[in-house]
Amino acid sequence: MNIDLKILDEENRKKITALNNEKAYRIIEKYINLCKPAKVTVITDSPEDILYVRKLSLKNGEETNLKTEGHTIHFDGYNDQARDKNNTRILINSDMTLNEAQNPMNRDEGLDEVHKIMDGIMKGKEMLVRFFCLGPLNSRFSISALQITDSAYVAHSEDLLYRAGYEQFKNLKGSSGFFYFIHSAGELDERKCSVNIQNRRIYADLLEGGVFTVNNQYAGNSIGLKKLALRLAIYKASKEGWLTEHMFIMGVKPENKNRVTYFTGAFPSACGKTSTAMIPGQLIVGDDIAYIKEGADGKAFAVNIEQGIFGIIEDVNAIDDPLIYKILTTPRELIFSNILINNDKPYWLGMGQELPDEGANFSGDWHKGKKDSKGNEILPAHKNARYTVRLSELENVDPALNDPEGVAVSGFIYGGRDSDTSVPVYQSFDWDHGVFIGATIESETTAATLGQAGVRKASPMANMDFLTIPLGKYLDNHFQFGKKIKNPPLVFATNYFLKEDGNFINDKVDKKVWILWMEGRTHGEYSAIKTPIGYIPEFEDIKKLYKEIFSKDISEDFYNKLFSIRVTKFLEKLDRVETMYKSEKMVPEKMFTILNKIRDDLKTAQTKHGMDIIPPAKFK
Ligand code: SPV
Ligand code: MN
């Protein structure tokens, strides 16, 4: 390989040569020539190189030290605090199909546009060339990744979130089977925030396995290995017959039983994803993205592609989230983003203490009452403010986190949110019905909390934002996956948000009862009641679990409130689901067969019992 890039000094040149990968070299060369950085530094897995990145972010002013040792603050630019869906586009050729909602774009046009924006974008800046591994090292699940960025904050975040993969990259032995990500924060202001937000672009090139992302810093847009790799991996998995899911992975561990049972869970935002993965006494493997493949004994095995958490900080306090609160308030390597800083101390919404009236936040210098350009008051900290930390910092991290085999998954959980339709937990009749349940998750928007009629947002498998294949094809892949494996996971649905007269019927922490019931079901320990929507728990089992876990006596009346089948509400949901899927292309017929059967059974039950809200005992 002939490396003729003048910008590389001897050491950096050697680091690239050692990879012995022509494609990787050509990509590095191409983007050095296009982005025109002032300096290029190649980072290996060595502690010195990784420390260099951490220090560079401080030196550049992209992060600032806080009082607690190891803690830093990073601000994304104003209006760069969340994923930019409009400017995230999937580049496809004319022989590929996607829905308009998936925001496809002609590949040549997209590449042309984004490359024009990238021309000279790193002038005066240092380009970092990084290598990571999506998933555990030396694992059949894992995918190598090349990351090029001019943001030391992005590179530093990736050290917390992903496994170092320079050495593993050498094992590719020249193969082109890796993903690559080119990022530039673009021109910066004095706070080191991206200035050209109007030219923010996030373009995924499925055919080449690359993503180009410019003029942004928010991790969901900038960090290649997170949601950008998720999009590429969904496409790859679809071709290869495995699953890439927007799912946590947790180990459920009943106190009185000597076993750990693994579950994965997909929840749209604000439906309880992190709080489920973090239920006290259980183990966490991952909180965001899982690769799932067939493994030993015909079971599904999953790995966490990450090794860290990029978590929402709002409402993390000593009472509701003691584990995370401790992490956020004691010394360790940790990046806060978009919170409020006062006197080098971090403050966020819902932290359980009074916030100061002034400080620095995502809007710059902030004081109570400060308004944005539209006259709206700016909150002290952003609602999507976050923390970034290694999973190994958590007491409840599962030792299997880095197991190259992954963990055998006994159950999938699909978590929705509604105040008046679904029961807190139920199990599907079989795998196919489980796919149906995942495909029909809904979350109720805040309109409902304001007291208006609940607005339901469909969120199939909580993965819609990231699908790079048609939804119908994605669902078919799920059906096929279950057919292929001998012992597919049991599938469950949860809803933690049932209300009566505007108040939640049960407590937040009750999800521990539901998870332990699901765990028992995977071991054949509880019987269940067959209803038109699926299997629901028996009163005696739920009563026993409440007693064991919370020393609480529950009444049958309470159980009935939670587990009665609300026929009309469920039928309304089926109508919404039918309308949505009728307008989709390539939807497997099975979806409608399952839907019609549930609808018929609900109507039959309604007539038979002469009631609209049917208590569980009627189905026995
Ligand atoms: C999500 O929104 O699902 C996240 C945060 O996990 S982001 O990185 O923005 O995707
Ligand atoms: Mn996510």
Side-chain angles (χ1 to χ4, degrees), residues 30 46 60 70 77 87 128 159 175 195 248 258 272 308 312 332 356 383 429 459 486 524 575 604 609:
K30 177 171 174 183
S46 77
N60 288 349
N87 287 308
L128 298 170
D159 282 317
S175 143
V195 170
F248 69 61
N258 189 21
I312 295 186
R332 72 196 69 250
K383 290 184 78 59
F429 300 119
S459 185
K486 217 168 55 221
D575 288 347
T604 307
H609 300 294

Side-chain angles (χ1 to χ4, degrees), residues 278-453:
M278 285 288 188
I279 293 175
Q282 319 306 312
L283 297 167
I284 183 163
V285 182
D287 83 325
D288 203 25
I289 302 166
Y291 289 171
I292 303 172
K293 292 187 174 182
E294 183 185 6
D297 305 324
K299 290 188 181 154
F301 279 70
V303 297
N304 179 9
I305 63 133
E306 307 186 284
Q307 60 151 8
I309 302 190
F310 174 61
I312 295 186
I313 202 166
E314 184 173 78
D315 290 337
V316 174
N317 56 59
I319 292 160
D320 295 330
D321 270 309
L323 288 172
I324 301 201
Y325 188 78
K326 188 174 155 211
I327 298 295
L328 299 182
T329 48
T330 46
R332 72 196 69 250
E333 189 174 353
L334 186 151
I335 309 171
F336 291 97
S337 48
N338 304 325
I339 56 165
L340 175 70
I341 300 298
N342 177 296
N343 198 16
D344 293 338
K345 279 204 195 130
Y347 297 89
W348 59 90
L349 305 172
M351 73 187 293
Q353 73 179 75
E354 191 118 350
L355 305 190
D357 288 344
E358 57 180 25
N361 77 358
F362 62 103
S363 73
D365 284 336
W366 175 85
H367 55 87
K368 203 175 177 154
K370 183 176 177 183
K371 304 233 163 68
D372 66 16
S373 56
K374 290 190 192 119
N376 297 320
E377 190 157 332
I378 297 173
L379 292 171
H382 199 275
K383 290 184 78 59
N384 195 28
R386 301 235 168 196
Y387 59 91
T388 304
V389 73
R390 288 189 180 92
L391 271 163
S392 57
E393 302 282 357
L394 301 183
E395 281 167 26
N396 55 329
V397 67
D398 192 290
L401 169 63
N402 293 314
D403 188 335
E405 296 298 321
V407 296
V409 183
S410 298
F412 274 18
I413 307 170
Y414 291 109
R417 179 183 187 120
D418 70 66
S419 53
D420 58 14
T421 307
S422 185
V423 298
V425 64
Y426 67 97
Q427 184 192 330
S428 75
F429 300 119
D430 52 26
W431 175 263
D432 285 354
H433 177 222
V435 175
F436 178 86
I437 288 175
T440 57
I441 309 178
E442 288 182 328
S443 69
E444 200 168 301
T445 61
T446 43
T449 41
L450 293 174
Q452 298 161 12

